[in-house]
Amino acid sequence: MINRVAYLSLHSCPLVQPGSGDSGGMNVYIRELSRAMAERGVEVVVFTRRTDETTAEVTKVMPGFSVVHIEAGPPAPVSIRSLPGLVGEFAEATLRWIDEQGEPFDLIHSHYWLSGWAGVLLKEKLGIPLANSFHTLGRVKDLNRHPDDGPEGAIRTLTEEEVIARSDCVVASTPFEFEDLLEHYAADPARLCTSPPGIDHSVFKPGDKAAARLRSGIGTRPMVLFAGRIQPLKGVNTAIAALEHVTTAEPPQLIVIGGPSGSGGAAEVARLRRLVGELQLEGRVHFVPPLRREQLVTFYQAADAVIMPSRSETFGLVAAEAQSCGAPVIAAAVGGLPYIIEHETSGLLVTGHDPTDYAAAIERVLNDRVFARRLSAGAVELSQRFSWDATVARFLELYDGITGGD
């Protein structure tokens, strides 16, 4: 029986507002998984790098779930490109904290390749099993990257290979990620497993669209929603360009919820604002800062469609959350998105990144109310496949498998 687990999230604190910087779906994943684990009686301690000197060393989120902010490098945000140089310091400081507390862990579960690197170091020192979730894979991102995005680099891909080889279990979010690990990393299938994230259905649920529109203040014009970090990989430029080609009787508006992410995030936001001006879409494209999930739910409920023209998505938590709220999702047929979205049942999958193809998909939803209602109902039904209870049950099974638990 698993009693105590160390989660490593070096580059991103699960308590930070997702939607900008390095905070996104992984933050939500770790936070909600930790909550659900704690509710099942498993103590979870999340180790993350301190990025604010005023933050307490230990934050007790709830009984059984704590976050420890580890000193590694300056107590301030740094570029993700600089973080590989801090992995050793982070691992050593985490090991000291564990030794000083004197309470053993049953296993380590690292998240992302940087944390996986630290996880390998801790596994060797502590002599306990290591599970790893990558959340994104460098080689897959390189295969699908936007021309404005630089390559991930050899350090990342070689580290990913090493983490795969030395983990007791590598967790894929979808069967598509499982196949990517086999194809692009020659991973041992015996040490791979699949466990999708969950959704908190008590929060992400259908609601009255008219009331949601009133609360969000977006008016009555048809609305397409993008939610996520703003970086070239997410394809916000495609969503904006698609708007120009939509020929519905009442032109829709596009709400973009999120903030700049990564080293090129600020430049990408500037490019997107210029694109809005070039296409004369002022007044129809609105940029909104990242929102708390209770506020985000209102926009999901108000949306006629959620758009995700991503070039790569390992899972696509936004798609799952939006569907749980009854919003049809128009998304690129990449990564894990076809696992979440059933074409013409809960949303529409688009091949490629031609804005006119996304415009055609938007028009199908806006012009056919019967079809849109059918997609909305299908979205809610399909979203029931994802729950944190099911995710925790699967993880406890996996954890027992690598620790030899009964």
Side-chain angles (χ1 to χ4, degrees), residues 342-356:
E342 189 169 323
H343 184 60
E344 298 190 338
T345 297
S346 68
L348 295 171
L349 293 169
V350 179
T351 301
H353 297 86
D354 188 330
T356 60

PDB file of all heavy atoms in Angstrom, residues 342-356:
ATOM      1  N   GLU A 342     -14.174  13.434 -30.316  1.00  0.00           N
ATOM      2  CA  GLU A 342     -14.679  12.522 -31.336  1.00  0.00           C
ATOM      3  C   GLU A 342     -15.273  13.356 -32.462  1.00  0.00           C
ATOM      4  O   GLU A 342     -16.229  14.102 -32.256  1.00  0.00           O
ATOM      5  CB  GLU A 342     -15.721  11.574 -30.754  1.00  0.00           C
ATOM      6  CG  GLU A 342     -16.124  10.476 -31.721  1.00  0.00           C
ATOM      7  CD  GLU A 342     -16.951   9.403 -31.074  1.00  0.00           C
ATOM      8  OE1 GLU A 342     -16.689   9.061 -29.896  1.00  0.00           O
ATOM      9  OE2 GLU A 342     -17.888   8.907 -31.739  1.00  0.00           O
ATOM     10  N   HIS A 343     -14.678  13.234 -33.637  1.00  0.00           N
ATOM     11  CA  HIS A 343     -15.047  14.076 -34.773  1.00  0.00           C
ATOM     12  C   HIS A 343     -16.539  13.939 -35.087  1.00  0.00           C
ATOM     13  O   HIS A 343     -17.066  12.843 -35.232  1.00  0.00           O
ATOM     14  CB  HIS A 343     -14.209  13.689 -35.991  1.00  0.00           C
ATOM     15  CG  HIS A 343     -14.433  14.539 -37.197  1.00  0.00           C
ATOM     16  ND1 HIS A 343     -14.208  15.898 -37.209  1.00  0.00           N
ATOM     17  CD2 HIS A 343     -14.882  14.223 -38.452  1.00  0.00           C
ATOM     18  CE1 HIS A 343     -14.486  16.377 -38.408  1.00  0.00           C
ATOM     19  NE2 HIS A 343     -14.902  15.389 -39.169  1.00  0.00           N
ATOM     20  N   GLU A 344     -17.195  15.086 -35.174  1.00  0.00           N
ATOM     21  CA  GLU A 344     -18.621  15.201 -35.488  1.00  0.00           C
ATOM     22  C   GLU A 344     -19.536  14.604 -34.414  1.00  0.00           C
ATOM     23  O   GLU A 344     -20.730  14.465 -34.629  1.00  0.00           O
ATOM     24  CB  GLU A 344     -18.947  14.605 -36.863  1.00  0.00           C
ATOM     25  CG  GLU A 344     -18.241  15.331 -37.990  1.00  0.00           C
ATOM     26  CD  GLU A 344     -18.733  14.919 -39.373  1.00  0.00           C
ATOM     27  OE1 GLU A 344     -19.294  13.805 -39.480  1.00  0.00           O
ATOM     28  OE2 GLU A 344     -18.564  15.695 -40.325  1.00  0.00           O
ATOM     29  N   THR A 345     -18.957  14.265 -33.259  1.00  0.00           N
ATOM     30  CA  THR A 345     -19.764  13.820 -32.119  1.00  0.00           C
ATOM     31  C   THR A 345     -19.646  14.786 -30.960  1.00  0.00           C
ATOM     32  O   THR A 345     -20.635  15.169 -30.336  1.00  0.00           O
ATOM     33  CB  THR A 345     -19.336  12.411 -31.665  1.00  0.00           C
ATOM     34  OG1 THR A 345     -19.581  11.480 -32.715  1.00  0.00           O
ATOM     35  CG2 THR A 345     -20.108  11.975 -30.422  1.00  0.00           C
ATOM     36  N   SER A 346     -18.407  15.213 -30.648  1.00  0.00           N
ATOM     37  CA  SER A 346     -18.205  16.187 -29.575  1.00  0.00           C
ATOM     38  C   SER A 346     -17.513  17.455 -30.064  1.00  0.00           C
ATOM     39  O   SER A 346     -17.366  18.408 -29.309  1.00  0.00           O
ATOM     40  CB  SER A 346     -17.376  15.563 -28.449  1.00  0.00           C
ATOM     41  OG  SER A 346     -16.054  15.312 -28.874  1.00  0.00           O
ATOM     42  N   GLY A 347     -17.081  17.441 -31.303  1.00  0.00           N
ATOM     43  CA  GLY A 347     -16.366  18.578 -31.869  1.00  0.00           C
ATOM     44  C   GLY A 347     -15.948  18.259 -33.291  1.00  0.00           C
ATOM     45  O   GLY A 347     -16.438  17.302 -33.901  1.00  0.00           O
ATOM     46  N   LEU A 348     -15.026  19.054 -33.801  1.00  0.00           N
ATOM     47  CA  LEU A 348     -14.537  18.857 -35.162  1.00  0.00           C
ATOM     48  C   LEU A 348     -13.016  18.852 -35.147  1.00  0.00           C
ATOM     49  O   LEU A 348     -12.389  19.730 -34.547  1.00  0.00           O
ATOM     50  CB  LEU A 348     -15.049  19.971 -36.080  1.00  0.00           C
ATOM     51  CG  LEU A 348     -16.577  20.014 -36.298  1.00  0.00           C
ATOM     52  CD1 LEU A 348     -16.967  21.287 -37.046  1.00  0.00           C
ATOM     53  CD2 LEU A 348     -17.054  18.782 -37.052  1.00  0.00           C
ATOM     54  N   LEU A 349     -12.421  17.863 -35.797  1.00  0.00           N
ATOM     55  CA  LEU A 349     -10.968  17.778 -35.922  1.00  0.00           C
ATOM     56  C   LEU A 349     -10.565  18.268 -37.300  1.00  0.00           C
ATOM     57  O   LEU A 349     -11.172  17.899 -38.310  1.00  0.00           O
ATOM     58  CB  LEU A 349     -10.499  16.341 -35.704  1.00  0.00           C
ATOM     59  CG  LEU A 349     -10.696  15.797 -34.285  1.00  0.00           C
ATOM     60  CD1 LEU A 349     -10.465  14.296 -34.242  1.00  0.00           C
ATOM     61  CD2 LEU A 349      -9.759  16.500 -33.313  1.00  0.00           C
ATOM     62  N   VAL A 350      -9.532  19.085 -37.351  1.00  0.00           N
ATOM     63  CA  VAL A 350      -9.063  19.700 -38.593  1.00  0.00           C
ATOM     64  C   VAL A 350      -7.653  19.201 -38.884  1.00  0.00           C
ATOM     65  O   VAL A 350      -6.783  19.234 -38.004  1.00  0.00           O
ATOM     66  CB  VAL A 350      -9.072  21.241 -38.482  1.00  0.00           C
ATOM     67  CG1 VAL A 350      -8.559  21.871 -39.762  1.00  0.00           C
ATOM     68  CG2 VAL A 350     -10.475  21.748 -38.145  1.00  0.00           C
ATOM     69  N   THR A 351      -7.427  18.759 -40.097  1.00  0.00           N
ATOM     70  CA  THR A 351      -6.090  18.337 -40.514  1.00  0.00           C
ATOM     71  C   THR A 351      -5.326  19.538 -41.055  1.00  0.00           C
ATOM     72  O   THR A 351      -5.816  20.249 -41.938  1.00  0.00           O
ATOM     73  CB  THR A 351      -6.184  17.246 -41.599  1.00  0.00           C
ATOM     74  OG1 THR A 351      -6.913  16.135 -41.077  1.00  0.00           O
ATOM     75  CG2 THR A 351      -4.796  16.779 -42.017  1.00  0.00           C
ATOM     76  N   GLY A 352      -4.137  19.757 -40.536  1.00  0.00           N
ATOM     77  CA  GLY A 352      -3.328  20.878 -40.994  1.00  0.00           C
ATOM     78  C   GLY A 352      -3.645  22.168 -40.266  1.00  0.00           C
ATOM     79  O   GLY A 352      -4.386  22.186 -39.273  1.00  0.00           O
ATOM     80  N   HIS A 353      -3.103  23.273 -40.778  1.00  0.00           N
ATOM     81  CA  HIS A 353      -3.236  24.563 -40.088  1.00  0.00           C
ATOM     82  C   HIS A 353      -3.645  25.679 -41.044  1.00  0.00           C
ATOM     83  O   HIS A 353      -3.293  26.844 -40.844  1.00  0.00           O
ATOM     84  CB  HIS A 353      -1.918  24.901 -39.379  1.00  0.00           C
ATOM     85  CG  HIS A 353      -1.578  23.914 -38.305  1.00  0.00           C
ATOM     86  ND1 HIS A 353      -0.902  22.750 -38.573  1.00  0.00           N
ATOM     87  CD2 HIS A 353      -1.859  23.902 -36.979  1.00  0.00           C
ATOM     88  CE1 HIS A 353      -0.769  22.062 -37.443  1.00  0.00           C
ATOM     89  NE2 HIS A 353      -1.333  22.734 -36.472  1.00  0.00           N
ATOM     90  N   ASP A 354      -4.435  25.318 -42.058  1.00  0.00           N
ATOM     91  CA  ASP A 354      -4.949  26.309 -42.998  1.00  0.00           C
ATOM     92  C   ASP A 354      -6.122  27.038 -42.337  1.00  0.00           C
ATOM     93  O   ASP A 354      -7.117  26.411 -41.960  1.00  0.00           O
ATOM     94  CB  ASP A 354      -5.420  25.612 -44.272  1.00  0.00           C
ATOM     95  CG  ASP A 354      -5.792  26.599 -45.376  1.00  0.00           C
ATOM     96  OD1 ASP A 354      -6.238  27.720 -45.059  1.00  0.00           O
ATOM     97  OD2 ASP A 354      -5.658  26.246 -46.559  1.00  0.00           O
ATOM     98  N   PRO A 355      -6.028  28.360 -42.188  1.00  0.00           N
ATOM     99  CA  PRO A 355      -7.114  29.103 -41.526  1.00  0.00           C
ATOM    100  C   PRO A 355      -8.476  28.905 -42.180  1.00  0.00           C
ATOM    101  O   PRO A 355      -9.504  28.931 -41.493  1.00  0.00           O
ATOM    102  CB  PRO A 355      -6.654  30.561 -41.633  1.00  0.00           C
ATOM    103  CG  PRO A 355      -5.167  30.488 -41.733  1.00  0.00           C
ATOM    104  CD  PRO A 355      -4.896  29.236 -42.524  1.00  0.00           C
ATOM    105  N   THR A 356      -8.513  28.691 -43.491  1.00  0.00           N
ATOM    106  CA  THR A 356      -9.805  28.522 -44.154  1.00  0.00           C
ATOM    107  C   THR A 356     -10.489  27.226 -43.720  1.00  0.00           C
ATOM    108  O   THR A 356     -11.730  27.153 -43.683  1.00  0.00           O
ATOM    109  CB  THR A 356      -9.652  28.535 -45.686  1.00  0.00           C
ATOM    110  OG1 THR A 356      -8.799  27.463 -46.100  1.00  0.00           O
ATOM    111  CG2 THR A 356      -9.056  29.851 -46.162  1.00  0.00           C
TER     112      THR A 356
END
